[in-house]
Amino acid sequence: MKKISVKNLCFSYVKDEPIVKHVSFNIHEGSYVSIVGHNGSGKSTLARLLIGLLAPDDGEIYIDDELLTNKTVRNIRKKIGLVFQNPDNQFIGATVEDDIAFGLENRQIKREKMHEIIEKFAKRVGMEDFLDKEPSRLSGGQKQRVAIAGALSLGPEIIILDEATSMLDPKGKSDIKELIEEMRKDNPSLTILSITHDVEEAFLSDEIIIMSKGEIAFKGKPEEVFSNREVLKSLNLEMPFIMDLKDRLKSEGINVDKSKDLDEIAEVLWPLK
Amino acid sequence: MAIEVKNLFYIYGRKTPYQQTALDDVSLTIPTGSFVGLIGRTGSGKSTLVQNLNALLIPTEGEIIVDEFHIGNKKRKNKKIKQLRKHLSLVFQFPEYQLFEETVEKDVAFGLMNFGYKQNEAIELAHKALLSVGLDEKYFKRSPFELSGGERRRVAIAGILAINPDILVLDEPTAGLDVKGSKDIMSLVKQMHEDGKTIIMVTHDMDLVLRYTEQCFVLKDGKVTFGGSTNQLFDTISDDSAIEIPPLFKLAKKLKDRGAPINIENIKNAEDLIKQVNSWRKK
Amino acid sequence: MNNVTFGRYSPLNTFTHKVDPRNKILILILLMVSIFLQFHVWSTTLLLSGVFLILLICLMLISKVNFLDLFKSLKSMWFLVIFLLVIYVFIPNPTYKFVCYRFNDHYAIYWDSFYQSGYIILRLILMISLTMVLTSTTKPMDLTYAFEWYMTPLKVIRFPVHEIAMTLSIALRFIPTLLDETDRIMKAQASRGVDFNRGGLFKRFKAVISLIIPLFVSAIQRSEELSDAMEARGYNPREKRTRYRKLTFSWRDIIALLFGLAIFGGILYLFIYDHNVEEIDLFMQIFGINVGF
């Protein structure tokens, strides 16, 4: 089932300087899609368009076959949880629990029910021991986990991560990646759209859309995308380490196509006699 | 030796309920002309250490010797701090946020003028620095606020390079940049090292540590837990340590464990590994 | 930034901490009015000030507020003390009676000047201390809620009470973030040779500019991202919202309020009595003893 459908989307902040040019794609329910591209490729603008924070110049966005317009935007937003890049700038409440409560308050959830919901989702992201902590006492990764809890607590059908890991340290990054996996297991119908420039992270998704200069440059499964070295090179994108190494070895006349991991590559490079 | 740190302690919020020991008896030496990595988790004391190095923070105890400069815990005795900051410059994380002048060249010249250069002299040096980071004449008169993130960072780095310090400390120089932006910045840093500058780089990115640094120091809870050659670090630590071994090095280690005649000390990037593989395949 | 410790919220669990912030604000106002009532005979005033001082000390003990911190923050008042003293000594009021030293027919120094300025300073100290007891026992966010509650009637005249309270709470939330940012930018500029403490007027001006502009740019960027984040989470200032935090009135509040009302009522009674019976030492009247002169 099509969850998100984008048709011929165009957007520009300044006239004649288009940021998004005639972009079309479909995203199916329950899939995990990464949008990859350089800074300035238009990928973050795309996230803001999808949730109606910006209005497109041309083209249509459908969520569950419902066209995104001024009238439907509030209803559609209820289906989407958005996590932004900067952990500090999306922490609204004074403490962890207040921040998770913020969205619930907007949805007019009854006070009596809130505490239970907050506890459940704080636990989901592993922040249940920090409920009364202020943001200045949390690490970037912890703040992002709170942001995810805030988004999940509203029961969204789609989660959009707008470079949610790019300002985090490796521990924070891997925590968020694990969390994404767990979220998918919890709720297989949850659609995840991750905007990122971390190729290793994109490699975990079901589908990758590569944006370049406001257009879709390539679309496909991670293996397809990363096996197409020419495309990646022309877009100046990095390959995941293993794929890059396989390519390099191949050009030296060593075929390691069948090797799945480092151990198997090592076996080819130095077979035990 | 470019830098000698002796029994350095740094305590935040001393004698308050918020007291916190950030550096706990840190001693290390950094030779002139080396490229050193400083690694550790967030909150391990890396940032505090580098801020002590150019007297932005004054040691609670212990001392630091940076070539002819001396930093101790007696604030009044620390003279020549300005000259020290010209000798050892610090590029903060996300340095693009420190830009403020109306044109790029003025912003780069700002630091120079603080260190006593005349305006026209400063502008001339600023142009040189901007060219060296790959920003040509077209950029000189533009406002820094209309540039892209990567370009702004290059302007900020040019602002430090123009001062021409002998020791350069970079805090997460590639954070938040995309692949191309990171590559540009790192090749710039490498060039500066080849020009004879001592480079200290604080980073979480172990691929960068392996590829560029010769030596590294690992900080944990304010203590130095490792100091020595970078390759030796990755060779000795186990897989489950807080430090992630770069996949390239993991492969090299696996080859070594299998008994391959691999010289693990020389592996810095994929080319190095392939060269070694080829050398034994020919036999 | 770290030397201002008094008045900053300290996370304890005393009686005062548990009192409803709305109630605390009300009691504070009652006490302040009581302190400001002036009596004809200065022995009365002085005695009541002593009562308030003892009250303050008790309150600080109950709230576990650090006395040392209070003295530290009052130290910065010395300028005000001298200023008031000079004003009162050199511009005497014609009603002053007790001459301390007479220069000539036109000018004299009166004891009254010292008494008047001392009294004002004492009242100021009492008020500042009481306010600080409030802020150090109440979370800033709870104060905002309390203010919003008090301003609710203004909604009738379409005064944007909710918007102001939300703005205030976000400002409070971002103070530590912006302080960190200020520290970071100052250090970054110091690495570029900026000296914030020395140099001529122009250099200092430039130094401040090099701090202010980046700070502004980042604050604007933050606010844009924040408003996006709020909108994405369904915030609409015109719509009804529910409340996670609820302020509750408990037995503690009744005790505290009764206590506040008792003091206010007592002082008010004395005040009215004092103004009816002019020029008579109030305490002599009431207790039959002469504690004054």
Side-chain angles (χ1 to χ4, degrees):
Chain A
M1 209 185 97
K2 269 190 283 185
K3 193 75 188 166
I4 304 171
S5 177
V6 172
K7 285 180 187 157
N8 193 32
L9 197 66
C10 297
F11 181 80
S12 57
Y13 287 103
V14 186
K15 224 183 168 188
D16 300 326
E17 278 179 43
I19 304 287
V20 176
K21 295 183 235 172
H22 307 285
V23 167
S24 303
F25 59 85
N26 292 321
I27 291 174
H28 291 277
E29 184 174 281
S31 61
Y32 170 16
V33 177
S34 293
I35 299 184
V36 185
H38 281 302
N39 296 343
S41 61
K43 57 191 196 318
S44 281
T45 308
L46 198 58
R48 284 173 164 74
L49 285 165
L50 284 176
I51 195 167
L53 289 172
L54 296 172
D57 298 341
D58 197 13
E60 290 119 42
I61 297 165
Y62 294 90
I63 309 286
D64 283 334
D65 294 326
E66 189 181 5
L67 178 66
L68 180 73
T69 62
N70 266 338
K71 277 183 192 151
T72 57
V73 66
R74 296 199 50 76
N75 189 36
I76 282 178
R77 258 183 215 161
K78 286 187 183 166
K79 296 182 182 175
I80 306 177
L82 187 51
V83 180
F84 291 92
Q85 177 180 24
N86 192 323
D88 257 317
N89 298 352
Q90 56 185 318
F91 204 108
I92 299 151
T95 63
V96 170
E97 53 185 327
D98 288 291
D99 189 62
I100 301 175
F102 178 77
L104 301 171
E105 292 174 326
N106 295 334
R107 291 282 174 82
Q108 297 167 45
I109 307 287
K110 291 230 168 58
R111 210 186 78 82
E112 298 73 40
K113 282 189 187 162
M114 267 193 227
H115 195 73
E116 196 187 321
I117 300 175
I118 290 169
E119 231 163 41
K120 180 180 164 196
F121 288 97
K123 210 168 205 165
R124 183 73 215 82
V125 300
M127 290 296 290
E128 68 272 23
D129 295 332
F130 297 87
L131 282 180
D132 58 349
K133 291 278 178 293
E134 290 124 43
S136 52
R137 304 197 171 266
L138 303 177
S139 72
Q142 288 173 323
K143 281 181 229 179
Q144 280 313 59
R145 268 147 63 192
V146 174
I148 291 177
L152 285 177
S153 69
L154 301 174
E157 294 162 26
I158 302 166
I159 292 260
I160 301 178
L161 303 159
D162 183 5
E163 301 206 31
T165 60
S166 76
M167 287 177 81
L168 306 183
D169 62 14
K171 172 88 173 63
K173 276 192 177 122
S174 63
D175 282 356
I176 300 292
K177 279 185 214 168
E178 264 172 46
L179 196 56
I180 294 175
E181 290 299 313
E182 287 166 18
M183 274 171 3
R184 299 194 72 198
K185 263 184 218 146
D186 284 356
N187 179 5
S189 68
L190 183 70
T191 309
I192 299 177
L193 185 61
S194 167
I195 290 159
T196 178
H197 55 234
D198 182 343
V199 284
E200 305 278 349
E201 191 185 314
F203 200 62
L204 301 171
S205 57
D206 302 330
E207 200 185 346
I208 295 177
I209 297 174
I210 299 180
M211 295 270 296
S212 175
K213 292 172 189 155
E215 290 171 289
I216 293 184
F218 201 87
K219 201 165 67 177
K221 295 214 175 319
E223 303 83 54
E224 287 166 23
V225 173
F226 290 117
S227 61
N228 198 329
R229 196 168 183 170
E230 293 311 306
V231 174
L232 289 170
K233 223 174 183 177
S234 69
L235 296 171
N236 233 324
L237 283 170
E238 200 179 37
M239 280 208 275
F241 171 75
I242 280 209
M243 296 216 146
D244 179 60
L245 185 75
K246 280 182 180 178
D247 271 13
R248 283 171 189 271
L249 288 171
K250 204 173 187 177
S251 63
E252 294 290 322
I254 308 169
N255 192 336
V256 282
D257 275 352
K258 283 181 195 133
S259 316
K260 279 189 219 81
D261 55 20
L262 290 177
D263 283 307
E264 292 183 23
I265 294 177
E267 213 174 302
V268 175
L269 294 183
W270 187 260
L272 289 177
K273 280 144 213 165
Chain B
M1 286 300 152
I3 297 171
E4 234 181 310
V5 177
K6 291 180 190 163
N7 305 96
L8 179 65
F9 285 84
Y10 191 87
I11 300 168
Y12 283 103
R14 210 174 181 202
K15 288 174 187 159
T16 72
Y18 305 98
Q19 177 164 328
Q20 197 189 352
T21 305
L23 293 176
D24 189 356
D25 199 6
V26 168
S27 296
L28 51 86
T29 53
I30 294 171
T32 306
S34 58
F35 197 138
V36 175
L38 204 55
I39 53 192
R41 285 261 182 89
T42 308
S44 59
K46 298 166 295 179
S47 294
T48 309
L49 176 59
V50 295
Q51 288 179 23
N52 270 280
L53 292 183
N54 76 345
L56 287 171
L57 296 174
I58 301 298
T60 310
E61 244 174 83
E63 61 175 337
I64 300 166
I65 297 157
V66 180
D67 292 320
E68 70 266 33
F69 302 95
H70 174 269
I71 311 162
N73 60 359
K74 298 270 178 351
K75 207 168 184 174
R76 253 163 276 152
K77 285 191 183 166
N78 296 322
K79 283 170 190 161
K80 301 193 221 153
I81 279 185
K82 211 159 174 175
Q83 286 100 305
L84 164 68
R85 289 183 186 156
K86 191 180 179 306
H87 182 71
L88 182 152
S89 280
L90 185 50
V91 179
F92 274 79
Q93 198 172 356
F94 301 111
E96 55 273 30
Y97 288 113
Q98 72 198 33
L99 305 178
F100 73 100
E101 286 276 18
E102 61 257 49
T103 66
V104 166
E105 60 177 16
K106 269 191 181 172
D107 208 294
V108 175
F110 172 67
L112 288 162
M113 282 158 75
N114 287 326
F115 289 115
Y117 287 86
K118 295 258 173 349
Q119 179 153 12
N120 45 4
E121 218 179 345
I123 293 280
E124 203 173 298
L125 286 169
H127 288 174
K128 257 192 207 163
L130 281 166
L131 289 173
S132 77
V133 299
L135 297 172
D136 58 21
E137 297 85 9
K138 285 185 299 211
Y139 287 91
F140 293 174
K141 300 278 184 205
R142 285 177 69 182
S143 158
F145 297 106
E146 60 186 38
L147 306 181
S148 76
E151 287 166 343
R152 286 220 303 274
R153 185 165 301 183
R154 277 191 274 169
V155 173
I157 291 180
I160 297 291
L161 284 188
I163 298 166
N164 195 24
D166 294 314
I167 307 167
L168 197 66
V169 184
L170 301 126
D171 192 351
E172 291 286 354
T174 61
L177 290 184
D178 56 23
V179 181
K180 187 173 177 305
S182 312
K183 271 188 183 155
D184 290 349
I185 296 290
M186 283 318 295
S187 64
L188 191 66
V189 174
K190 200 176 164 208
Q191 184 58 46
M192 292 184 285
H193 179 231
E194 280 162 9
D195 292 346
K197 294 192 192 307
T198 308
I199 311 273
I200 300 166
M201 181 169 70
V202 177
T203 185
H204 289 298
D205 189 332
M206 292 307 133
D207 291 324
L208 291 186
V209 173
L210 176 65
R211 188 180 281 263
Y212 294 103
T213 70
E214 299 151 351
Q215 263 192 36
C216 62
F217 293 94
V218 180
L219 278 171
K220 195 188 170 198
D221 301 328
K223 289 187 166 74
V224 177
T225 55
F226 176 90
S229 120
T230 304
N231 287 41
Q232 194 194 331
L233 168 76
F234 290 127
D235 198 15
T236 48
I237 56 172
S238 58
D239 269 353
D240 52 348
S241 128
I243 299 160
E244 206 178 328
I245 304 172
L248 172 75
F249 202 86
K250 268 189 196 160
L251 178 63
K253 260 172 123 169
K254 284 184 199 300
L255 287 168
K256 187 181 154 199
D257 291 346
R258 295 175 75 86
I262 189 165
N263 183 357
I264 223 157
E265 275 294 312
N266 282 341
I267 305 281
K268 285 280 172 198
N269 49 43
E271 285 86 6
D272 294 341
L273 183 99
I274 289 170
K275 217 186 273 168
Q276 293 205 28
V277 169
N278 275 338
S279 72
W280 75 59
R281 276 178 73 242
K282 271 170 203 153
K283 288 174 198 163
Chain C
M1 311 279 165
N2 284 322
N3 42 22
V4 193
T5 46
F6 192 68
R8 192 204 273 172
Y9 176 71
S10 56
L12 296 170
N13 217 3
T14 70
F15 181 90
T16 327
H17 280 80
K18 285 180 194 155
V19 173
D20 187 318
R22 294 169 296 185
N23 202 9
K24 273 190 263 191
I25 290 177
L26 180 65
I27 295 167
L28 180 71
I29 293 170
L30 289 177
L31 289 180
M32 280 200 178
V33 172
S34 312
I35 289 171
F36 248 74
L37 292 177
Q38 194 160 11
F39 294 84
H40 282 108
V41 185
W42 48 311
S43 55
T44 316
T45 319
L46 221 57
L47 207 81
L48 284 177
S49 299
V51 171
F52 276 117
L53 209 60
I54 292 166
L55 206 77
L56 174 71
I57 291 169
C58 292
L59 204 59
M60 285 173 69
L61 283 173
I62 293 171
S63 317
K64 289 188 183 157
V65 173
N66 195 340
F67 284 90
L68 214 71
D69 289 343
L70 173 65
F71 295 135
K72 264 191 228 155
S73 59
L74 289 181
K75 235 174 29 189
S76 52
M77 275 183 67
W78 67 268
F79 180 76
L80 190 69
V81 171
I82 290 171
F83 179 74
L84 279 171
L85 209 62
V86 167
I87 295 265
Y88 274 90
V89 167
F90 288 98
I91 312 168
N93 191 301
T95 60
Y96 289 174
K97 289 177 230 158
F98 303 100
V99 176
C100 166
Y101 181 81
R102 184 169 286 282
F103 291 99
N104 51 38
D105 287 349
H106 302 290
Y107 190 74
I109 294 177
Y110 297 90
W111 286 114
D112 300 56
S113 304
F114 295 102
Y115 159 69
Q116 287 288 352
S117 53
Y119 179 50
I120 287 205
I121 288 157
L122 186 64
R123 283 199 289 190
L124 273 178
I125 290 176
L126 281 172
M127 293 202 349
I128 291 172
S129 312
L130 280 175
T131 315
M132 284 181 166
V133 170
L134 174 76
T135 55
S136 62
T137 58
T138 319
K139 283 182 194 156
M141 217 41 93
D142 284 339
L143 278 180
T144 324
Y145 291 139
F147 278 123
E148 189 180 357
W149 188 84
Y150 276 116
M151 294 206 295
T152 315
L154 293 177
K155 276 183 183 165
V156 179
I157 56 161
R158 303 207 162 200
F159 189 75
V161 173
H162 167 73
E163 283 90 331
I164 288 177
M166 180 56 86
T167 313
L168 204 62
S169 69
I170 287 174
L172 286 170
R173 142 76 186 92
F174 273 91
I175 285 173
T177 312
L178 289 178
L179 283 181
D180 279 354
E181 183 111 333
T182 309
D183 180 57
R184 218 171 59 94
I185 296 172
M186 278 178 86
K187 280 177 178 163
Q189 303 299 25
S191 297
R192 291 212 275 170
V194 174
D195 195 333
F196 287 94
N197 302 318
R198 257 173 288 177
L201 199 64
F202 179 74
K203 278 227 155 155
R204 288 227 186 178
F205 176 72
K206 193 90 181 178
V208 171
I209 291 290
S210 78
L211 170 64
I212 299 266
I213 291 185
L215 205 56
F216 251 80
V217 170
S218 111
I220 289 169
Q221 198 189 339
R222 276 181 201 284
S223 66
E224 276 174 4
E225 285 181 24
L226 187 74
S227 72
D228 275 355
M230 288 171 75
E231 217 182 322
R233 280 161 77 181
Y235 179 70
N236 184 345
R238 272 167 235 94
E239 262 177 29
K240 239 184 121 89
R241 303 176 74 226
T242 47
R243 255 293 153 67
Y244 175 58
R245 295 272 172 199
K246 199 178 163 197
L247 302 173
T248 44
F249 226 69
S250 69
W251 58 270
R252 284 187 201 83
D253 293 290
I254 295 165
I255 293 175
L257 189 59
L258 284 178
F259 166 79
L261 283 173
I263 289 174
F264 180 67
I267 301 277
L268 200 64
Y269 172 75
L270 290 180
F271 182 70
I272 294 164
Y273 194 77
D274 177 71
H275 277 249
N276 289 337
V277 194
E278 278 189 30
E279 300 295 319
I280 294 172
D281 194 316
L282 202 64
F283 274 83
M284 208 173 79
Q285 282 279 320
I286 297 171
F287 302 110
I289 45 164
N290 192 347
V291 285
F293 288 79

